């Protein structure tokens, strides 16, 4: 009889107690530095792109997460709700810093936002000019004289 009463009381109190939901934690990954190249005519040699990494975010309750990325103006993102979206940075001519924010939700509560930065470092490739200079130096040993003999001026 005592066992049945104990089981009945345990079941009654277990049903009435609901575990509290714990807020998830967003982790937007490590800051990144990527290089963007321009040639001597200031034409971009590559369109800088990379991936954001939100897969270290977690929920202590084990709930599934909904990811939401906030991106700066001019940045293209494959999917603002992806765990690892691809991003393409805009064309810039000076070193630039882009800040991205990740917030995760378990459907009941949202995390505090976490920020990651991508720094785009600009490099210039002047090989075209150097190549012309090298070719020019091959012919510099030859003397060339230009005069106006037999030329007419209209």
């Amino acid at each position: 009889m005592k066992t049945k009463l104990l089981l009945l009381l345990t079941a009654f109190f277990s049903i009435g107690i609901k575990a509290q939901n714990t807020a998830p934690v967003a982790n937007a990954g490590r800051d990144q530095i990527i290089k963007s190249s321009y040639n001597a005519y200031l034409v971009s040699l590559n369109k800088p792109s990379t991936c954001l990494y939100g897969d270290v975010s977690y929920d202590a309750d084990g709930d599934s997460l909904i990811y939401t990325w906030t991106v700066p103006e001019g940045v293209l993102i494959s999917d603002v709700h992806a765990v690892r979206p691809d991003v393409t940075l805009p064309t810039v001519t000076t070193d630039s810093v882009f800040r991205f924010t990740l917030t995760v939700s378990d459907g009941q509560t949202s995390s505090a936002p976490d920020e990651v930065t991508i720094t785009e470092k600009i490099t210039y490739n002047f090989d075209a000019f150097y190549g012309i200079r090298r070719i020019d130096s091959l012919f510099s040993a030859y003397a060339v004289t230009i005069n106006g003999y037999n030329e007419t001026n209209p």
Side-chain angles (χ1 to χ4, degrees), residues 7 12 15 23 64 78 86 107 120 128 131:
L7 286 174
F12 177 75
I15 292 170
S64 296
S78 59
D86 294 320
E120 184 177 0

Side-chain angles (χ1 to χ4, degrees), residues 42-54:
L42 299 180
V43 175
S44 179
L45 299 176
N46 65 324
K47 192 71 171 167
S49 63
T50 188
C51 182
L52 298 174
Y53 300 94

Side-chain angles (χ1 to χ4, degrees), residues 1-10:
M1 180 73 154
K2 282 184 178 179
T3 308
K4 286 184 182 181
L5 181 59
L6 184 60
L7 286 174
L8 183 60
L9 288 173
T10 304

